[in-house]
Amino acid sequence: MPARTRHVPFSQRYVAAWLAARRQWGPHLSRWESAAVSDAIEAIRPGAPVWICGMARSGSTILLEILNGLPQFTAHRYSDYPWLWIPYWWNRLHSRLPLAAAAKQERAHRDGLAVSRDSPEAFEEVFWMHFFEDRHDPATSQILEPDYRAEEFLLFLRQHQRKLLAVRGARRYLAKANYHLPRLGFLHHHFPDARFVIPVREPLAQVASLLKQDALFCRLDREDPAVSAHLARIGHFEFGPGKRALNMGDADEAAAITACFARGELAEGFARQWVAQYGFALRRMREDADLCSACLWLSHDRLCEAPRIELQRLGNHLGLAADEQKLIDDRWASRLHKPDYYAAGFSEKETDLLHSLTAPLWLELQSWIA
């Protein structure tokens, strides 16, 4: 019998599973670390944190890469997992390990982005799943209102950010978070200086990308069942065998998305999810002027077509210095382009359905962004 393909490395397959089975170890270790390094983090005065909050396949990863390349920012790295709860101790130890140079290779998504253990990645969801019940339950509204009480979590998150900044010598915390659109009000209330970047993509292109990733990760999971277990541990339910609807406060719509996934009508399900997530965010912008000013809608399509203009908008929103703006312009303006490694391939019937679902909101968003 042929050996199974292994897509999940040892530390993520076994060490992460061992830690996940001991649910309280992470928070305990975090508190011990915070107490032990209190002197090192006490003097840290963090700059405004930045959260990249677009739905999956909106161009959020490239924005994370762009900003993480600036010295003032730091984000979680691939090498931080599974020791996310103790960033200070783990980074100090990791920097002293006799490791070979970090070589880049194309990431599992097969989307042309090359990463290494030092590349930034989205891991913050691990903490949200621990502190908040029923995260990713399609039957539960995922909206966190500004006045939601979560003192323990907020204390942890602020200390965690300071520890990352202290051990990396950075000034501003950066995170990509695909599930933060229903949490915008909560985060803005508790981090009033924070800046949010909301990347969005032409809906049919975004749905096509989600379908490609769904098929890819379902295949990878058939080859190695540890794939779905790993995705669940780090809070990735956007596509693949464990995909789930994100309830944006409308239980009926979340149920409809779940039903689409169950029937195999994935394009419709992803299109409905696109409308639910971005529609909710747009409504909140209209209701809350302060939140609106803290958020930048960034069109992935425009970023690829006019990168210098859109990178300047990004820099203005985040308050980047002139030399930082020049750095990202020089590094990235000539490299950004629309994906060319797959085609949508929708039938005329599918195209008509997806347009009917998404076109009204897409027109609103284009007007809003403009």
Side-chain angles (χ1 to χ4, degrees), residues 188 192 194-196 284-285 288-296 317 368:
H188 181 245
R195 286 293 175 265
F196 305 95
R284 283 296 167 101
M285 301 297 108
D288 187 337
D290 288 339
L291 175 61
C292 180
S293 66
C295 296
L296 173 71
H317 182 65
W368 186 271

Side-chain angles (χ1 to χ4, degrees), residues 8-21 75-87 90-91 94 97 116-127 129 160 164 168 226-236:
V8 181
F10 178 88
S11 66
Q12 297 175 7
R13 179 185 296 268
Y14 298 113
V15 179
W18 187 85
L19 288 170
H76 291 114
R77 298 171 180 166
Y78 281 91
S79 60
D80 289 332
Y81 189 78
W83 302 104
L84 294 168
W85 293 92
I86 48 171
W90 173 243
N91 275 266
H94 189 265
L97 295 176
S116 75
R117 63 172 178 265
D118 295 331
S119 297
E121 177 57 320
F123 284 124
E124 193 184 275
E125 193 63 21
V126 171
F127 308 133
M129 291 192 299
H160 183 81
L164 264 184
R168 303 258 181 87
V227 168
S228 57
H230 169 66
L231 292 174
R233 281 194 294 270
I234 61 176
H236 280 305

Side-chain angles (χ1 to χ4, degrees), residues 5 13 34 90 97 111 198 206-207 241 302 313 335 365:
T5 304
R13 179 185 296 268
S34 296
W90 173 243
L97 295 176
D111 56 4
I198 306 177
Q206 192 156 347
V207 169
R302 294 188 187 198
R313 291 181 66 235
R335 297 168 60 184
L365 284 175

Side-chain angles (χ1 to χ4, degrees), residues 213-276:
Q213 294 302 315
D214 184 76
L216 171 61
F217 277 87
C218 285
R219 176 178 65 78
L220 294 178
D221 189 63
R222 290 192 296 271
E223 296 171 359
D224 180 2
V227 168
S228 57
H230 169 66
L231 292 174
R233 281 194 294 270
I234 61 176
H236 280 305
F237 301 98
E238 304 97 323
F239 45 72
K243 59 185 168 289
R244 301 178 190 176
L246 186 66
N247 186 329
M248 303 296 293
D250 184 336
D252 291 340
E253 185 59 18
I257 295 167
T258 299
C260 285
F261 290 161
R263 293 194 301 266
E265 296 170 355
L266 304 185
E268 180 181 347
F270 286 133
R272 286 179 174 274
Q273 189 70 80
W274 186 94
V275 172

Side-chain angles (χ1 to χ4, degrees), residues 45-359:
R45 295 292 177 266
V50 174
W51 277 283
I52 301 170
C53 305
M55 186 178 168
R57 310 310 299 166
S58 62
S60 54
T61 298
I62 198 67
L63 292 172
L64 183 69
E65 290 268 5
I66 289 170
L67 294 175
N68 189 69
L70 297 176
Q72 69 165 307
F73 288 109
T74 195
H76 291 114
R77 298 171 180 166
Y78 281 91
S79 60
D80 289 332
Y81 189 78
W83 302 104
L84 294 168
W85 293 92
I86 48 171
Y88 196 95
W89 284 341
W90 173 243
N91 275 266
R92 292 289 294 272
L93 173 62
H94 189 265
S95 67
R96 289 162 172 75
L97 295 176
L99 301 172
K104 286 194 171 188
Q105 58 183 8
E106 188 176 27
R107 66 179 185 154
H109 300 68
R110 301 292 183 265
D111 56 4
L113 287 174
V115 298
S116 75
R117 63 172 178 265
D118 295 331
S119 297
E121 177 57 320
F123 284 124
E124 193 184 275
E125 193 63 21
V126 171
F127 308 133
W128 292 82
M129 291 192 299
H130 179 88
F131 284 99
F132 296 88
E133 293 184 3
D134 301 322
R135 293 307 91 184
H136 309 294
D137 178 356
T140 301
S141 172
Q142 299 301 307
I143 298 170
L144 289 182
E145 299 293 355
D147 58 355
Y148 189 92
R149 297 184 65 81
E151 287 83 358
E152 185 182 1
F153 170 73
L154 291 166
L155 174 62
F156 159 78
L157 186 57
R158 290 191 174 99
Q159 289 180 333
H160 183 81
Q161 291 176 0
R162 288 185 175 211
K163 287 185 287 189
L164 264 184
L165 297 176
V167 78
R168 303 258 181 87
R171 197 170 60 82
R172 298 176 72 178
Y173 173 77
L174 170 68
K176 184 186 88 166
N178 293 341
Y179 293 108
H180 275 11
L181 290 178
R183 306 165 184 166
L184 285 174
F186 173 82
L187 282 168
H188 181 245
H189 177 75
H190 293 288
F191 297 87
D193 63 338
R195 286 293 175 265
F196 305 95
V197 182
I198 306 177
V200 63
R201 191 171 171 187
E202 189 279 318
L204 267 66
Q206 192 156 347
V207 169
S209 185
L210 286 162
L211 289 170
K212 177 182 181 295
Q213 294 302 315
D214 184 76
L216 171 61
F217 277 87
C218 285
R219 176 178 65 78
L220 294 178
D221 189 63
R222 290 192 296 271
E223 296 171 359
D224 180 2
V227 168
S228 57
H230 169 66
L231 292 174
R233 281 194 294 270
I234 61 176
H236 280 305
F237 301 98
E238 304 97 323
F239 45 72
K243 59 185 168 289
R244 301 178 190 176
L246 186 66
N247 186 329
M248 303 296 293
D250 184 336
D252 291 340
E253 185 59 18
I257 295 167
T258 299
C260 285
F261 290 161
R263 293 194 301 266
E265 296 170 355
L266 304 185
E268 180 181 347
F270 286 133
R272 286 179 174 274
Q273 189 70 80
W274 186 94
V275 172
Q277 288 187 230
Y278 287 118
F280 172 84
L282 184 58
R283 288 193 298 274
R284 283 296 167 101
M285 301 297 108
R286 288 176 169 153
E287 296 166 358
D288 187 337
D290 288 339
L291 175 61
C292 180
S293 66
C295 296
L296 173 71
W297 290 84
L298 199 64
S299 164
H300 179 69
D301 308 274
R302 294 188 187 198
L303 181 64
C304 294
E305 293 163 0
R308 290 189 181 275
I309 294 174
E310 297 306 301
L311 289 173
Q312 184 67 58
R313 291 181 66 235
L314 177 65
N316 290 343
H317 182 65
L318 302 182
L320 300 185
D323 60 330
E324 294 175 314
Q325 186 69 55
K326 184 177 186 306
L327 185 60
I328 63 172
D329 286 349
D330 292 346
R331 284 180 178 173
W332 291 99
S334 63
R335 297 168 60 184
L336 296 171
H337 59 83
K338 288 188 177 182
D340 56 5
Y341 51 88
Y342 68 95
F346 294 125
S347 68
E348 183 177 349
K349 182 179 179 180
E350 285 178 314
T351 299
D352 289 343
L353 172 62
L354 298 182
H355 271 307
S356 69
L357 290 170
T358 63

